[in-house]
Amino acid sequence: MKRLISCCFLFTWLNVSGQEDSSYTAMLKSTEEIQLADSLHIDSGEWKLRRLDSTEVKKWFSPILGSTNNNRLKNRGYYLAGKMTSNINFDLLLMVEEKKRSDSSNVQVIYLITSKKDGKYISSLEVAVTGAKKRSSYNTSSWLYKDLKIMKDSKMTINDKPMNDLAFYKINNGGRFILYPNY
């Protein structure tokens, strides 16, 4: 009996000490709530960033990393820039991915991510991209409106040729990004 109680105590102690507070609510508490009065301009401007460790990125945002065997965590930093938790069906999160390489190329991608209230990933959209790589440069920004419509403005220069694109999205009640035509 004494041995059984000792084993139970040992397993309980290991279980409690082995758990980190990496819950979804703890992660949300660590970042600022973004108030969406009318609209929000999302670009590579100044954000108050909270760095995510690789465990959090894998646990909560693994679909963004992709299913291929490449290591998207190498030479990249992932940050939480803000949250919008007022919707009753899902949370909106802003996550920043920064990729720096030794060849002086620097790319920053900002994702708008929808997740269920328990942290399960629903969908994501690249809403801002800034960077340069070889003979191309990218500058994408977006406007998020109170009715959950998104206007994404992409400006690229590839081999000295400018290319522009304007796309419209709406976040449906399930948290999915729906692309709408430009007319």
Side-chain angles (χ1 to χ4, degrees):
M1 185 67 172
K2 193 176 190 180
R3 193 179 259 181
L4 179 64
I5 293 173
S6 297
C7 285
C8 288
F9 177 74
L10 177 67
F11 286 123
T12 304
W13 178 78
L14 285 175
N15 190 25
V16 170
S17 67
Q19 291 179 351
E20 294 180 18
D21 190 15
S22 64
S23 70
Y24 180 70
T25 54
M27 182 182 67
L28 286 183
K29 286 181 185 176
S30 69
T31 190
E32 289 185 4
E33 181 77 24
I34 298 173
Q35 300 300 323
L36 189 59
D38 180 49
S39 62
L40 174 68
H41 188 238
I42 304 170
D43 63 357
S44 64
E46 295 296 316
W47 295 95
K48 188 173 181 183
L49 301 176
R50 179 219 175 252
R51 187 170 180 99
L52 297 169
D53 64 11
S54 59
T55 307
E56 289 176 313
V57 174
K58 287 178 187 176
K59 183 175 183 179
W60 304 114
F61 309 112
S62 61
I64 290 175
L65 299 175
S67 60
T68 59
N69 201 12
N70 64 355
N71 187 355
R72 294 235 2 211
L73 294 171
K74 187 177 180 182
N75 296 330
R76 296 176 196 218
Y78 291 90
Y79 305 88
L80 211 55
K83 64 183 177 189
M84 290 172 249
T85 58
S86 60
N87 191 297
I88 58 170
N89 297 327
F90 54 84
D91 293 332
L92 280 170
L93 306 173
L94 276 173
M95 186 176 78
V96 178
E97 173 188 11
E98 288 185 343
K99 180 178 181 183
K100 295 181 182 177
R101 303 185 93 187
S102 59
D103 66 355
S104 75
S105 64
N106 185 15
V107 177
Q108 183 186 60
V109 181
I110 300 177
Y111 297 94
L112 188 59
I113 301 168
T114 56
S115 62
K116 294 181 181 178
K117 292 294 185 175
D118 63 356
K120 290 183 180 152
Y121 177 90
I122 299 173
S123 187
S124 67
L125 178 68
E126 289 182 4
V127 291
V129 180
T130 303
K133 189 174 182 180
K134 295 184 182 177
R135 297 189 57 165
S136 58
S137 65
Y138 311 94
N139 189 7
T140 300
S141 64
S142 297
W143 284 93
L144 173 65
Y145 297 97
K146 190 172 183 98
D147 60 355
L148 299 180
K149 289 183 181 175
I150 301 166
M151 183 182 71
K152 182 177 172 183
D153 184 16
S154 301
K155 294 179 172 92
M156 300 169 264
T157 303
I158 301 172
N159 293 328
D160 296 325
K161 294 180 182 177
M163 297 181 189
N164 297 328
D165 184 41
L166 197 59
F168 297 92
Y169 295 86
K170 171 107 170 98
I171 305 173
N172 68 8
N173 289 336
R176 300 273 180 203
F177 296 93
I178 309 296
L179 178 64
Y180 281 91
N182 290 359
Y183 51 85

